[in-house]
Amino acid sequence: MADPMKIRANLAGDTTEVKVLMSHEMETGQRKDAQGKVIPAWFIQNVTATWNGKTVLSAEWGPAIAKNPFLSFRFKGGARGDKVQVNWVDNRGDKRSDEATIA
Amino acid sequence: MRQRIRAAVAVAGFACAVPLALAQGSATEEIEKYRQALQDGNPADLWEMRGEGLWRTPAGPKKATLEQCDLGKGPGVVKGAYAELPRYFADAGRVMDLETRLVWCRVTLQGLSEADAKKNPYGSSNRKSDNEALVAYVTSQSRGIPMNVRLDNPQMKEAFALGEKIFYFRGGPHDFACATCHGEDGKRIRLQDLPNLTAKAGAQKGYSTWPAYRVSQGELRTFQWRLNDCFRQQRFPELEFASPASIALTTFLAYNANGAPFDAPAIKR
Amino acid sequence: MDAGRRDVLKAGGGTALLTLLAAAGWLKPGEAQAAWNAAAFETHSLDATVKALGGGSAAASKDIAFVSTPDIAENGAVVPIGISSSIPKTESIAILVEKNPNMLAAVFDIPPGTEPAVTTRIKMGQSSNVYALVKADGKFHVASKEIKVTLGGCGG
């Protein structure tokens, strides 16, 4: 199973800033291994972030996102103690869902 | 000397793609900006998190956690422990660096065999290393704390002296010592500045910024990995993980970094 | 988007069924597996990407900024990119790399209430123009920045 994400969510004024690190190979499908065999593509395709059940960001990614992806964005609203949840699904159907409390 | 290094380095086969011809001044500035942009959101955090999990999760034949591991400041004290390592451990009767001590704790507390505890010290994408994760977690708990390695007993003095000897020992096909590449200011290979590890500033920076997430590898690498890689660059035989030579060299370099606020896990090219 | 949807359907399998169900309103969007626009991720020009994302063409805009994005990347494996749009009704922000094997790196949908700005890190095979493509009020706008990639690192 995939390793957990590291999510930070911080309130500044009326805006919540979310920073996410994900543990993923993000293999492009363009590289070859030592035997010359193509290493199959393996990457996160969909990311969604929700706050109180409302989607605050959703994304489609290709394999050109860097290994161990980083993502940061801001949304209006959010209060200390609220939960921000982030989900991802990769091209093999592996998923991961983690949450953080707004600080 | 300079001439000799340049030639030797070429021989040593650093046949990499030629860096872009860039105006050196502005390029350095822009690369500094690039490095800055990576500081926030260092993927090393992922290793730190995994390491903390490993620390607190029962494992091994004894189904024990590492929470009672004594890193030198008493059982279970992680905060600040790395800033005082390597040190002499009376229970083991020898000087240990962090990795040696982690092996010790995994053997004594969790019941692993020494061979199992030493397995896979440097991970790759499909073979994650518990050692690297644990090192990331423990070192993160010394962030901001000044390095304070003490040569306060004969064993530590001995380890330091041996480390110093290794640092200046010339050998291999190029007759290199660590000091050949790291004994002078302002040396570089391609765009990489080679820190002068014999001067205070270089010694401090070179030690206190490891472990680091290696952008070029997408992996977190430990200080011992760095030493091992320099052994390779020097065309020396592989530095055995958690060996007396490795502990001695680490003791020499850590002591020279004393006073530097520890600043890792970091992120490097 | 349309082309992508059709592609997904053609590809068959569970995703297609879910997409179909969602499209037919049988599933609430949250319950369907999110769609992935395969066609858009196989394009080799800005125009083709805009088309695959459901637009006609993109107009150059000064209201899109690259933030905390260096001119030079020490390592192409990790290139920090920040994009911020001040175009009203920004709906989505996409990142494209002209000289990558496939141009599109990512598309971020920005719901109301979320600032039209994202920061991430991409891979670049070589020095290239990077495009920030913004969809706002149904129209596409674009800004570009050249990023040089030094190959200073060779493992080690």
Side-chain angles (χ1 to χ4, degrees):
Chain A
M1 210 192 49
D3 282 334
M5 286 177 248
K6 167 140 184 182
I7 307 171
R8 288 174 290 166
N10 286 300
L11 190 67
D14 63 346
T15 305
T16 301
E17 182 172 41
V18 182
K19 291 179 179 173
V20 191
L21 274 169
M22 308 172 195
S23 180
H24 204 284
E25 282 305 307
M26 300 302 288
E27 191 59 62
T28 59
Q30 314 264 350
R31 296 196 315 151
K32 292 190 174 137
D33 64 16
Q35 281 75 46
K37 251 180 49 202
V38 172
I39 306 171
W42 179 30
F43 58 97
I44 293 174
Q45 288 188 315
N46 291 100
V47 180
T48 51
T50 57
W51 156 63
N52 287 348
K54 171 185 183 286
T55 299
V56 285
L57 190 80
S58 60
E60 291 175 47
W61 284 359
I65 292 291
K67 178 174 176 177
N68 297 320
F70 174 71
L71 166 66
S72 141
F73 65 96
R74 281 191 290 259
F75 67 88
K76 285 256 183 306
R80 291 202 170 81
D82 284 1
K83 299 267 194 262
V84 171
Q85 192 186 63
V86 181
N87 307 285
W88 59 249
V89 183
D90 70 18
N91 67 324
R92 293 181 183 170
D94 285 346
K95 308 169 190 246
R96 181 80 219 182
S97 177
D98 292 284
E99 60 178 31
T101 304
I102 299 178
Chain B
M1 191 58 168
R2 191 156 288 267
Q3 202 74 42
R4 175 149 172 224
I5 292 202
R6 216 178 289 133
V9 161
V11 175
F14 289 92
C16 303
V18 181
L20 289 173
L22 298 161
Q24 200 65 57
S26 66
T28 310
E29 221 169 87
E30 278 301 318
I31 285 180
E32 203 38 58
K33 262 196 231 164
Y34 168 86
R35 290 176 183 169
Q36 273 308 319
L38 295 182
Q39 293 305 316
D40 189 23
N42 180 351
D45 289 2
L46 297 168
W47 274 256
E48 233 176 275
M49 262 174 63
R50 196 163 72 82
E52 183 168 3
L54 289 170
W55 185 264
R56 300 190 191 288
T57 309
K62 293 192 187 167
K63 303 243 178 314
T65 72
L66 291 169
E67 286 164 311
Q68 287 306 304
C69 178
D70 182 354
L71 296 170
K73 293 174 77 77
V77 182
V78 183
K79 188 95 199 155
Y82 186 68
E84 297 177 19
L85 287 170
R87 70 194 296 155
Y88 175 75
F89 286 88
D91 57 0
R94 59 191 175 107
V95 170
M96 293 173 148
D97 59 6
L98 172 59
E99 278 138 303
T100 318
R101 191 61 185 175
L102 286 171
V103 168
W104 169 270
C105 286
R106 293 170 80 194
V107 170
T108 55
L109 297 175
Q110 298 186 319
L112 265 67
S113 72
E114 179 150 333
D116 277 346
K118 281 185 178 172
K119 226 166 41 195
N120 197 20
Y122 317 118
S124 57
S125 41
N126 45 17
R127 202 169 41 81
K128 291 189 176 169
S129 159
D130 289 352
N131 171 60
E132 283 171 339
L134 285 165
V135 167
Y137 166 59
V138 173
T139 55
S140 76
Q141 299 302 302
S142 282
R143 192 184 288 282
I145 298 175
M147 287 299 305
N148 182 22
V149 173
R150 291 179 294 264
L151 304 184
D152 50 6
N153 62 55
Q155 287 89 346
M156 279 298 284
K157 290 197 179 94
E158 203 179 298
F160 178 88
L162 178 60
E164 185 169 35
K165 209 167 178 182
I166 297 172
F167 189 84
Y168 290 100
F169 182 82
R170 304 174 67 108
H174 306 303
D175 199 26
F176 275 177
C178 308
T180 317
C181 289
H182 294 297
E184 247 179 74
D185 284 341
K187 247 183 210 153
R188 45 165 62 201
I189 294 180
R190 299 181 316 274
L191 286 178
Q192 273 63 63
D193 294 314
L194 295 177
N196 179 357
L197 297 173
T198 61
K200 191 78 186 162
Q204 290 187 325
K205 185 162 167 290
Y207 188 83
S208 64
T209 56
W210 289 90
Y213 182 77
R214 227 19 218 212
V215 168
S216 49
Q217 304 183 353
E219 296 287 338
L220 178 122
R221 294 307 187 198
T222 60
F223 189 69
Q224 200 162 140
W225 174 89
R226 180 67 259 173
L227 293 183
N228 197 31
D229 194 61
C230 276
F231 264 58
R232 185 185 58 80
Q233 300 209 31
Q234 214 172 310
R235 302 299 184 270
F236 271 29
E238 189 178 328
L239 179 63
E240 197 189 318
F241 177 71
S243 63
S246 175
I247 297 166
L249 193 49
T250 303
T251 303
F252 171 69
L253 294 165
Y255 179 80
N256 288 341
N258 269 353
F262 185 69
D263 192 22
I267 183 163
K268 292 179 189 252
R269 66 162 192 96
Chain C
M1 219 22 157
D2 274 343
R5 283 265 149 74
R6 243 179 282 126
D7 224 64
V8 170
L9 288 176
K10 250 191 288 169
T15 315
L17 181 62
L18 285 172
T19 311
L20 186 66
L21 292 175
W26 294 344
L27 279 174
K28 281 187 252 123
E31 291 169 359
Q33 192 178 338
W36 190 72
N37 189 340
F41 284 99
E42 284 169 6
T43 52
H44 305 286
S45 73
L46 177 60
D47 282 353
T49 314
V50 174
K51 283 206 180 69
L53 292 173
S57 64
S61 171
K62 288 195 165 58
D63 297 318
I64 305 170
F66 286 88
V67 189
S68 316
T69 306
D71 296 352
I72 300 176
E74 191 172 19
N75 196 309
V78 181
V79 184
I81 304 279
I83 295 170
S84 154
S85 160
S86 50
I87 305 172
K89 297 192 182 160
T90 291
E91 298 160 32
S92 76
I93 298 175
I95 305 171
L96 287 70
V97 183
E98 188 167 43
K99 291 193 182 156
N100 272 3
N102 296 302
M103 269 184 84
L104 185 61
V107 189
F108 297 88
D109 285 326
I110 312 287
T114 295
E115 285 185 14
V118 288
T119 303
T120 189
R121 295 168 188 161
I122 61 166
K123 291 174 207 150
M124 292 178 63
Q126 56 182 303
S127 299
S128 168
N129 273 323
V130 174
Y131 296 108
L133 179 67
V134 169
K135 184 183 179 192
D137 205 11
K139 294 194 181 65
F140 284 84
H141 309 263
V142 69
S144 77
K145 175 185 172 84
E146 194 196 359
I147 299 179
K148 290 196 171 78
V149 175
T150 75
L151 299 171
C154 42

